[in-house]
């Protein structure tokens, strides 16, 4: 089961237990609710008829709003799991009362049961999906929410197809007994096992709920204006629930007139709902891929377009076939597309509004919409028949379609707003001035906020260099001030003979020299772009950042070919992940741990460089990079996926998502030519051939952990003439007697010792290595 979920459905080990738990609960509840719904729909329609439905919806909307106002207060002290469990147990306690009332011949019990059925729909929708939203973030939701919905649909399928058999075998009233027994069992099961599965999540949420302020109804208008995502969720909660009762009334009118007796009608409901649910179930298996490929804002268009088509057809073809298509298509799109989309969007609401949105938007707004639709039907029934109500539904569908197009156009700004939200309105979206980006995170290289780039006026200031030949000669001078002066000369005189040296200056340790080189190169004509792009492949990390800064700030370079940089960078990151996964599987010694840590730090540097490269075209990359390191990582990845090209996102997104390293490696191997036969000796051998001397040193030291291995003898011998630290480490392994020489200093041991001191906490391996190389060992 685990391997199937992992390999076929992308459910990983840390997600498995939570998914199985909520899927089991969902299956049981929706199975028995399907039985209950078929029984209630049939018995109520044949005793009261479809004309009573609008009044039932009005009553239910009022009851539901009051119910959620009550549960909203309960959620301040109790979790959704506790509230839902108590509701299930209370509903189960009512079933014996309903059975007694039916056996007594009471007709009043059927409207009461009908109200309970409608209330159950709302409660399950709100609280089950609140729990799912707490378990999984927005990125996980793309993969897992369709599976949770599939578990609900599989329960509905089983319940729908077994209704006729169970009614024939046990009688109608025994459906209520099954309903009560299952609800009681699930309620007790959730109370007993839920804390083990959700304990840490629930405790964090309970603290968050206590700190959240209550949003009053009059404050909602300001929130709608301030947050487009809240506006969209309210609109998509309100309008469909005005439209759905209208179509629900039309469908029941057509179905009631098409099937003359109670048995034929319940058989139709059972088969039709079962077929619809089966189709939805299989569609959901591909839903996550569809959402990833199509994108959330584009997928949200399907629901309003379908309703606009449906209400455009119904006035002319008011029959069971069109009604069946409408019911089938609306349920299919709602379950497979619109439902998962909206549930994911709830995950990107600002955190301090989460509790309020759950009960108000998911619960009360839906019922307000249903109440409005029901009132409209009650008022319009004397003047319009069921067919003519389609025109009103068409008008609302078009309004919903316009709102969806509007939300689609600002979707990236919505994600940006949530990332930068600090409890106050940030101003107009999409403008850099409205958002505090902070510094671009970088330990090495240029820090954009700290550099002083000369202005155009500054270039006109008189300088001592008089001609180009003199400036070219001074570019290699020993004095930093002279080199800065020479670079400044070429900010005005664009001689291509200086470009190579200017690019080399971008790797200098003196930030003033690097700033002068950036200032000069960014003023060159666009003919310099190919050389800058080629230099990205050979420059060191500082040089690469400097080149990217030149391209980003250039007056003339309007096109930048970053494919070579991205291809090499992501290949190196995926390859390092393979190395890390292999090395973490062996015994963790100090040397191996240090090598793994350095590989991880190298990957961070490479990804930082990739973001720096994307920053050339996308000004929000600093925001996204910083957010990926925070608790808003899922939203940042979603924004990144909707910002960069799809071919870039395909390689980059798996590296940033919270998925196991094994899955990341699988994705990398499916796209790139990566090493497949992985052994420790092969990994260490490859790492000793790195261009980075520190990587070679750590790899050679790690060979000592698997020594003796005769296949590694030539590897060590090839490094006897390497950098002094690397050769020293190789000699210590090949010739153990050398380690007794006091002149031989083991820098990796010093690095490991430094890591124990609080004063060096937070330093990278490269920084600790720099300290180790200048450390003098004394005995006291």
């Amino acid at each position: 089961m685990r391997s199937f979920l992992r390999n076929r459905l992308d459910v990983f080990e840390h997600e498995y237990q939570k998914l199985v738990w909520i899927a089991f609960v969902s299956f049981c509840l929706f199975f028995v609710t399907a039985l209950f719904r078929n029984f209630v729909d049939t018995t109520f329609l044949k005793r009261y008829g479809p004309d009573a439905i609008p009044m039932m919806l009005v009553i239910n909307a009022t009851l539901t709003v009051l119910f959620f106002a009550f549960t909203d207060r309960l959620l301040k002290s109790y979790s959704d799991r506790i509230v839902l469990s108590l509701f299930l147990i209370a509903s189960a306690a009512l079933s014996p009362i309903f059975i007694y009332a039916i056996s007594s011949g009471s007709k009043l019990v059927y409207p009461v049961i009908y109200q309970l059925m409608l209330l159950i729909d709302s409660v399950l929708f709100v609280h089950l999906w609140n729990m799912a939203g707490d378990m999984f973030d927005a990125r996980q939701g793309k993969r897992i929410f369709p599976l949770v919905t599939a578990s609900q649909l599989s329960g509905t399928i089983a319940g729908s197809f077994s209704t006729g058999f169970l009614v024939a075998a046990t009688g109608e009233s025994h459906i209520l007994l099954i309903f009560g027994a299952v609800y009681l069992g699930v309620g007790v099961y959730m109370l007993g096992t839920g804390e083990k599965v959700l304990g840490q999540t629930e405790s964090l949420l309970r603290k968050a709920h206590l700190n959240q302020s209550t949003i009053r109804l009059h404050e909602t208008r300001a929130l709608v204006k301030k947050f487009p995502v809240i506006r969209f969720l309210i609109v998509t909660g309100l309008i469909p629930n005005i439209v759905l009762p209208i179509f629900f009334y039309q469908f029941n009118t057509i179905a009631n007139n098409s099937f003359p007796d109670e048995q034929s009608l319940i058989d139709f409901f059972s088969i039709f709902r079962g077929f619809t649910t089966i189709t939805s179930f299989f569609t959901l298996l591909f839903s996550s891929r569809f959402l990833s490929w199509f994108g959330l804002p584009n997928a949200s268009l399907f629901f309003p377009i379908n309703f606009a088509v449906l209400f455009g057809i119904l006035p002319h073809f008011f029959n069971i076939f069109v009604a069946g298509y409408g019911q089938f298509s609306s349920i299919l799109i709602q379950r497979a597309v619109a439902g998962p989309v909206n549930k994911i969007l709830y995950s990107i609401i600002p955190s301090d509004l989460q509790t309020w949105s759950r009960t108000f938007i998911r619960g009360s707004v839906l019922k307000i919409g249903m109440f409005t639709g029901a009132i409209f039907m009650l008022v319009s029934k004397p003047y319009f028949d069921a067919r003519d109500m389609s025109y009103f539904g068409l008008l609302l569908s078009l309004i919903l379609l316009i709102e969806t197009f509007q939300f689609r156009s600002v979707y990236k700004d919505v994600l940006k707003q949530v990332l930068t939200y600090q409890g106050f309105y940030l101003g107009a979206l999409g403008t850099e001035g409205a958002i505090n980006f902070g510094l671009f995170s970088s330990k090495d290289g240029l820090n954009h906020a700290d550099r002083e780039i000369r202005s155009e006026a500054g270039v006109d200031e008189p300088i001592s260099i008089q001609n180009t030949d003199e400036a070219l000669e001074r570019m290699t001078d020993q004095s930093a001030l002279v080199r800065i002066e020479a670079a400044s000369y070429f900010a005005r005189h664009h001689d291509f003979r200086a470009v190579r040296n200017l690019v080399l200056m971008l790797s200098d340790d003196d930030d003033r020299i690097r700033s002068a080189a950036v200032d000069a190169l960014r003023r060159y004509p666009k003919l310099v772009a190919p050389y800058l792009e080629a230099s990205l492949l050979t420059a060191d990390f500082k040089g690469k950042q400097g080149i990217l800064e030149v391209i980003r700030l250039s007056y003339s370079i309007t096109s930048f070919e970053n494919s070579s940089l991205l291809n090499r960078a992501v290949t190196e990151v995926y390859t390092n992940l393979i190395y890390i996964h292999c090395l973490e599987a062996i015994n963790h010694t100090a040397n191996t741990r240090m090598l793994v840590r350095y590989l991880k730090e190298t990957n961070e540097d490479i990804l930082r460089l990739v973001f720096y490269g994307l920053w050339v075209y996308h000004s929000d990359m600093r925001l996204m990079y910083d957010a990926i390191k925070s608790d808003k990582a899922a939203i940042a990845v979603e924004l990144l996926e909707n910002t960069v090209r799809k071919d870039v996102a395909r390689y980059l997104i798996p590296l940033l998502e919270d998925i196991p390293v094994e899955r990341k490696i699988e994705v990398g191997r499916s796209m790139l030519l990566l090493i497949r036969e992985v052994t420790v000796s092969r990994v260490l051998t490859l790492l000793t051939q790195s261009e980075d001397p520190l990587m070679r040193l750590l790899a050679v030291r790690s060979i000592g952990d698997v020594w003796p291995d005769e296949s590694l003898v030539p590897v060590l011998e090839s490094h006897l003439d390497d950098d002094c630290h690397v050769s020293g480490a190789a000699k210590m392994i090949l010739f153990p007697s050398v380690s007794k020489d006091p002149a031989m200093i083991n820098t990796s041991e010093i690095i490991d010792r430094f890591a124990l001191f609080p004063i060096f906490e937070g330093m990278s391996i490269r920084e600790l290595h720099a300290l180790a190389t200048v450390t003098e060992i004394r005995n006291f």
Side-chain angles (χ1 to χ4, degrees), residues 364-378:
S364 299
V365 167
L366 270 60
K367 287 305 177 179
I368 291 171
M370 189 176 292
F371 178 85
T372 304
I375 289 293
F376 167 77
M377 287 187 288
L378 286 175

Side-chain angles (χ1 to χ4, degrees), residues 225-261:
K225 184 178 180 181
K226 183 175 179 178
F227 297 104
V229 64
I230 291 179
R231 173 190 171 96
F232 180 69
L233 288 173
I234 288 178
V235 170
T236 55
L238 192 64
I239 293 181
N241 282 281
I242 298 175
V243 170
L244 282 171
I246 296 173
F247 178 68
F248 182 62
Y249 171 67
Q250 292 175 318
F251 177 78
N252 279 286
T253 299
I254 295 172
N256 194 54
N257 294 334
S258 301
F259 299 95
D261 57 71

Side-chain angles (χ1 to χ4, degrees), residues 346-365:
Y346 275 102
S347 302
I348 65 173
I349 291 177
S351 56
D352 61 338
L353 301 174
Q354 288 276 350
T355 303
W356 165 80
S357 68
R358 290 174 165 189
T359 53
F360 180 73
I361 302 178
R362 274 184 176 163
S364 299
V365 167

Side-chain angles (χ1 to χ4, degrees), residues 27 145-155 157 280-281 284-285:
F27 175 86
F145 287 170
L147 300 180
V148 176
T149 306
S151 69
Q152 297 173 353
L153 295 188
S154 60
I157 291 169
S280 303
F281 176 81
L284 277 166
L285 297 180

Side-chain angles (χ1 to χ4, degrees), residues 222-351:
L223 291 175
V224 168
K225 184 178 180 181
K226 183 175 179 178
F227 297 104
V229 64
I230 291 179
R231 173 190 171 96
F232 180 69
L233 288 173
I234 288 178
V235 170
T236 55
L238 192 64
I239 293 181
N241 282 281
I242 298 175
V243 170
L244 282 171
I246 296 173
F247 178 68
F248 182 62
Y249 171 67
Q250 292 175 318
F251 177 78
N252 279 286
T253 299
I254 295 172
N256 194 54
N257 294 334
S258 301
F259 299 95
D261 57 71
E262 192 169 302
Q263 186 62 44
S264 62
L265 182 58
I266 198 170
D267 289 342
F268 167 74
F269 280 145
S270 178
I271 295 171
F272 179 79
R273 288 172 177 170
F275 174 75
T276 302
T277 308
I278 285 176
T279 307
S280 303
F281 176 81
F282 285 108
T283 305
L284 277 166
L285 297 180
F286 307 97
S287 178
S288 62
R289 292 182 176 86
F290 173 81
L291 293 178
S292 296
W293 177 77
F294 215 71
L296 296 183
N298 292 324
S300 62
L301 291 170
F302 279 76
F303 195 66
I305 288 174
N306 180 70
F307 262 116
V309 171
L310 173 62
F311 285 118
I313 295 174
L314 268 177
H316 309 288
F317 303 96
F318 196 73
N319 54 52
I320 191 63
F321 300 105
V322 175
Y325 153 76
Q327 186 82 335
F328 172 79
S329 61
S330 60
I331 290 174
L332 180 65
I333 293 174
Q334 173 64 30
R335 288 172 174 171
V337 182
V341 167
N342 278 11
K343 292 171 183 69
I344 293 168
L345 291 178
Y346 275 102
S347 302
I348 65 173
I349 291 177
S351 56

Side-chain angles (χ1 to χ4, degrees), residues 78 96 100 118 144 149 154-155 174 180-181 220 285 304 586 605 678-679 775:
Y78 304 98
Y100 175 77
L118 295 177
I144 293 176
T149 306
S154 60
H174 287 83
T220 305
L285 297 180
I586 67 176
D605 287 340
V678 183
T679 63
T775 296

